[in-house]
Amino acid sequence: MTVIHTLGFPRMGANRELKFALERHWRGEISADALEAVGSELRARHWQVQREAGLDFVTVGDFAWYDHVANHIQLLGCEPVRFGFDDTQTPLARYFTLARGVAREDGISGEGKPALEMTKWFDTNYHYLVPEFTAQTSFSLADERLFAEVAQAQALGHPVKAVLLGPLSFLWLGKEKTAGLDRLSLLDKLLPVYGQILARLKAQGVQWVQMDEPILGLDLPAQWRQAFEPAYATLATSKATLLLATYFSPLQENLGMACRLPVQGLHIDGIRAPGEIATVADWLPAHKVLSLGIIDGRNIWRSDLDAALQTLRPLHEARGENLWLAPSCSLLHVPFSLAGESRLDEELRSWMAFAVEKLSELRVLKQALAGDVAADSALAASRAAIQSRRDSQRVNNPAVAQRLAALPADADRRRSPFAARQAAQRKRFALPLLPTTTIGSFPQTPEIRAARAAFRRNALSAADYEAAMQKEIAHAVAKQESLGIDVLVHGEAERNDMVEYFGEQLAGFCFTGNGWVQSYGSRCVKPPIVFGDVSRPQPMTVAWSRYAQSLSKKPVKGMLTGPITILQWSFVRDDQPRAITAKQIALAIRDEVCDLEKAGIGIIQIDEPAIREGLPLRREVWRDYLAWATFAFRLSACGVADDTQIHTHMCYSEFNDILPEIAAMDADVITIETSRSDMELLHAFGAFQYPNEIGPGVYDIHSPRVPSVEEIERLLKKALETIPVGNLWVNPDCGLKTRGWPETEAALRNMVAAAQALRKTVA
Ligand code: GLN
Ligand code: ZN
């Protein structure tokens, strides 16, 4: 019989039990023992789900209090020395210190220890804690948690497959903290510890160890590629039975090597790399297990099981029991289950499969391959759902397709080149040199949140809600006026989230009630789902913006989220290319831009913080992505007159390698995060001679610290070394919604003072 398994399972729980337990523990409300009990119950429950779905193994090692990479930092005994741990802290307390740092006593000075840095796990919205390596880093088998979890699963009677992040991916994902250190040089010290772990697992009776090496899907430097064969030859001496797991990306030049490594099985992502299935089937020796990721672990759609079976049957014929089936990657990236989903209607639900439902799909495939008639009714139901989605009028809106097909060739071009627009905008707005502005949001106070929540549960009438939000807008506008800011914003009080706010008003989007996915630690997000052709039935922001503008003679920016960010932070259709969905969203945003312009809004900002994180994992497809992504942005922005000023904003990004494309977005003004890197980012913009106006953030909004006037002046002077004075804007790094009003006012007052002081010297 075909083996079915999963590379990993969501750890938060059906109702985010882990999140709530963690946060209670961090607030000191429940003990470590009580937290452990929640974790152990969740693991048991999730293994039970896997067994009931007919999986041949439960996967152990995918559970984490915060992050699975952090688990490995403890397991491998390489907690950074800078934390100064000693025997007085429990492993759990140390773990949370790694993840969350230690606050400084008074928030300003004192002993604080910053947490490990966090960064995106490949191209997902999950964030892992970055291992830190120094020349002194050593490794040892230092943590018992994995073995205890294996024992727990065995005690419950489950056959166990343990999962580890492989040694090369672990090193790759870390960061050198000693100048000149090459972290690959640590491999020789690391491998013996992996050897010990494998030996321990084998002694415990673990049948298979899944060794995740997702970096095999990246463009690796030669030394890293060459390190795989010797490393896995060393691991082979442990005699453990290894399944090498790759995902998220085709293996390409690493495929031959992956097939040859001395392991007993190879998992490939059949969704992201369908073109490699036939090659692997050919190259992977017949005595090895081929685990095919045939169910999409990155999206929420029901699989086309007929199509999957067509792929699987010949492989099954050829390999028999050495063909295993799994989701393409860990199910960590999809919500738990559709059961109890309250917000989706029955038809939408019938088109989807979350983690639990994906396991059932595996079972049906297994039964069908075995010729078991038990699969027939499930296959028929699946077929009907696929068909109904394909034919649905809720999905297909011919007007949207026609509009895209009929786009004029210059739809993504402004009427005039930047120089002419800049002249027209200078005349219209007559802004001072070094104009000051903010990025959009102002503090989201408890009152704002309470009003929004009350409105949502119908405890506040639409009229009262509108009045409450207008009061917030008026407050924000008055504050900005009194601070002397030049280009104002309305403050975004009415927005819960910058993507959800727009998704809720666009046709083609739907929302789950409980579709949470872990983003980092205890934080989960509930991404919107784009299920159909996108259009904008009516204006989304115009009334708020018009009201805000009525309160001031200064320009108030209209504030929108861009098409790529909306795409990137949603689950999107799998029945058409992402580029098409992006263009559809772009047209909807374009309609809003044009309506804002008609309503007299002269400056419109289209935020694209996610444009860089949308970059594909393989460089060879970057150009293609950037071409359609920048096209979509321009499509959204280019319907306006020359004297309407388009801004964009991006944060936390390294732009050096995509500057030509950022320039190709042709926004009149771009505001970016730079203060944490001391304006370093600007060198690239300067060297590239970035043509349009630019506002490098002059202070970090992630901290309550108030920057001094001198500090901001110094940063601005530094910026002036690379940016012509006529092109430089003055603004914070990002939106201010997570800050309180007192520090916000103080910081902005200093920002305006710095700009005013500098104007005198440069004028
Ligand atoms: N306009 C948004 C805000 O100010 C931008 C947020 C972001 O860049 N992530 O909140
Ligand atoms: Zn930002």
Side-chain angles (χ1 to χ4, degrees), residues 472-482 488-490 548 551-552:
E472 293 298 336
I473 291 173
H475 175 247
V477 169
K479 282 275 185 240
Q480 295 170 84
E481 292 256 13
S482 76
L488 314 190
V489 296
H490 78 289
L551 302 172
S552 178

Side-chain angles (χ1 to χ4, degrees), residues 192-203:
V193 182
Y194 269 90
Q196 288 169 27
I197 295 168
L198 293 177
R200 280 278 301 270
L201 291 170
K202 193 174 163 63

Side-chain angles (χ1 to χ4, degrees), residues 401-423:
Q402 277 158 22
R403 193 173 165 204
L404 265 180
L407 278 183
D410 61 353
D412 72 324
R413 295 268 169 271
R414 293 290 292 272
R415 286 164 214 175
S416 307
F418 174 67
R421 300 190 321 253
Q422 190 177 38

